[in-house]
Amino acid sequence: MVTVNMVGLNAYRRDNFDHPTVGLLVVVLLAAWTGAAIWLYRDRPRRTPALLVADLAVVLAALAVTPWVKSPDFNATVPGFYVMGALFAWAIHWHWRGGLVASALIAAFDLLPRSDVDQGNYGNTFLILIGGPIVGFMCESLQRMARERDAAERAAAAAEERTRLARAVHDGVLQVLAMTQRRGAAAGGEWAELARLAGEQERGLRSLIRQQDTVPDAPGGRVDLAGALEAMATAHPVRVDVATPGTAVLVDARVAGETVAAVRACLDNVLAHAGPDASAWVLAQAGPDEVTVSVRDDGPGIAPGRLERAAADGRLGVASSIRGRVEEIGGSARVDSGSWGTEWELTVPVGGPA
């Protein structure tokens, strides 16, 4: 449309040309370049920076020859609104920066040759100067939203597939493992060892299924603490059952890292003092401002005063690896122990330390 407008206006204003033959040649060349540009821009591999530079150079050349083709006191340039094609191409390709550079060059080539700049010339140039960056910014925003939409669609498709696989595993493998565990334990002997192995595999698979809805990349530098606890517990030698709210528990990245490290230290203590046959349970409860993680085991418990004596003797394993980690991120750690075992209660803030 801008090409048709350019041809029509120059034909209407043909009496304004001092060199009409050259003016006609410029108009024909611009129209021919339009056809070539449409063909070149059609395929992405040909949409190179060199093409955009050439497109803008054609426009600037047409602006530069206007004072000679018409007259030094010309009013309208030969290309007119034809310049918008190259301007939009730069804005789409290089976003607001490209739109700003292209609009500044077009404005300079339009205004500098003029002997007199009136209000209309200034208004047109001002619109070009603000239009290029605005169009570029909008294109960048649209492209970013398109990428985010595509990523969300891929994530949704992947989640749907994981859910389907989880149902298949739950309806088949987990039921077989649970039945093997029950019957093997009832049979005793060598079958009891098979039952124990089946139970470990069942717990591992259930943990993986619970992790399917975790958030790998949360916005704002947040991390899914529930998913991190599930993944950590699955790989620990101690038999661990993890219970989470069932949805993502988004916390500060540092809070998640220190909390997982403190929970791992609790489980390491279970392995060291209660042995690999002990069982542990991890429970995560999320509140609006803080998260409480409980780590409980069925070991022999901690003797009264043992932690205090260890700290007095300079053995700061529990004080630094559990209490120290949690307190550094603005949380608190409380321990309760008896003949039934040991329970750590870790309370950490959602947003991280002040």
Side-chain angles (χ1 to χ4, degrees), residues 130-191:
I130 66 172
I134 290 176
V135 171
F137 177 78
M138 293 178 61
C139 291
E140 183 179 11
S141 300
L142 290 173
Q143 291 171 2
R144 182 174 61 252
M145 287 188 292
R147 290 193 298 268
E148 293 173 351
R149 179 206 60 197
D150 294 341
E153 290 178 351
R154 289 193 297 269
E160 183 179 354
E161 180 64 14
R162 288 196 303 269
T163 302
R164 187 187 65 82
L165 292 175
R167 287 197 300 267
V169 171
H170 182 272
D171 295 340
V173 179
L174 288 179
Q175 292 183 5
V176 172
L177 289 174
M179 182 179 63
T180 303
Q181 182 182 8
R182 290 194 303 270
R183 294 190 177 182
E190 295 181 354
W191 291 102

Side-chain angles (χ1 to χ4, degrees), residues 4 37-38 40 42 50 175 210 226 250 267 270 306 329 339 352:
V4 174
I38 291 175
L40 290 170
R42 184 174 298 166
Q175 292 183 5
R210 284 196 296 268
L250 302 181
L267 296 178
V270 175
R306 179 178 176 182
I329 57 177
S339 59

Side-chain angles (χ1 to χ4, degrees), residues 98-111:
L100 179 61
V101 171
S103 61
L105 290 173
I106 292 172
F109 274 71
D110 189 343
L111 291 181

Side-chain angles (χ1 to χ4, degrees), residues 204-226:
L205 282 175
R206 288 189 184 278
S207 179
L208 290 175
I209 291 174
R210 284 196 296 268
Q211 294 178 50
Q212 68 175 340
D213 294 326
T214 59
V215 179
D217 297 310
R222 297 294 181 98
V223 174
D224 183 11
L225 179 59

Side-chain angles (χ1 to χ4, degrees), residues 110-322:
D110 189 343
L111 291 181
L112 291 179
R114 295 180 182 272
S115 57
D116 183 26
V117 178
D118 58 24
Q119 186 175 357
N121 302 140
Y122 169 78
N124 293 335
T125 305
F126 179 74
L127 291 177
I128 289 177
L129 283 173
I130 66 172
I134 290 176
V135 171
F137 177 78
M138 293 178 61
C139 291
E140 183 179 11
S141 300
L142 290 173
Q143 291 171 2
R144 182 174 61 252
M145 287 188 292
R147 290 193 298 268
E148 293 173 351
R149 179 206 60 197
D150 294 341
E153 290 178 351
R154 289 193 297 269
E160 183 179 354
E161 180 64 14
R162 288 196 303 269
T163 302
R164 187 187 65 82
L165 292 175
R167 287 197 300 267
V169 171
H170 182 272
D171 295 340
V173 179
L174 288 179
Q175 292 183 5
V176 172
L177 289 174
M179 182 179 63
T180 303
Q181 182 182 8
R182 290 194 303 270
R183 294 190 177 182
E190 295 181 354
W191 291 102
E193 177 64 16
L194 177 62
R196 185 184 66 81
L197 295 175
E200 292 179 355
Q201 295 300 316
E202 180 192 6
R203 285 189 295 274
L205 282 175
R206 288 189 184 278
S207 179
L208 290 175
I209 291 174
R210 284 196 296 268
Q211 294 178 50
Q212 68 175 340
D213 294 326
T214 59
V215 179
D217 297 310
R222 297 294 181 98
V223 174
D224 183 11
L225 179 59
L229 291 174
E230 293 279 2
M232 180 272 303
T234 304
H236 202 277
V238 175
R239 185 172 58 186
V240 183
D241 287 331
V242 179
T244 60
T247 58
V249 180
L250 302 181
V251 300
D252 180 79
R254 184 187 173 195
V255 171
E258 296 296 337
T259 303
V260 169
V263 172
R264 184 179 291 109
C266 295
L267 296 178
D268 291 342
N269 286 335
V270 175
L271 179 63
H273 301 292
D277 294 332
S279 298
W281 297 266
V282 177
L283 171 64
Q285 296 175 296
D289 300 319
E290 62 184 19
V291 179
T292 301
V293 180
S294 301
V295 185
R296 184 178 181 275
D297 65 70
D298 58 357
I302 302 175
R306 179 178 176 182
L307 296 180
E308 290 75 9
R309 289 193 300 271
D313 294 340
R315 292 180 281 113
L316 303 177
V318 172
S320 61
S321 62
I322 301 177

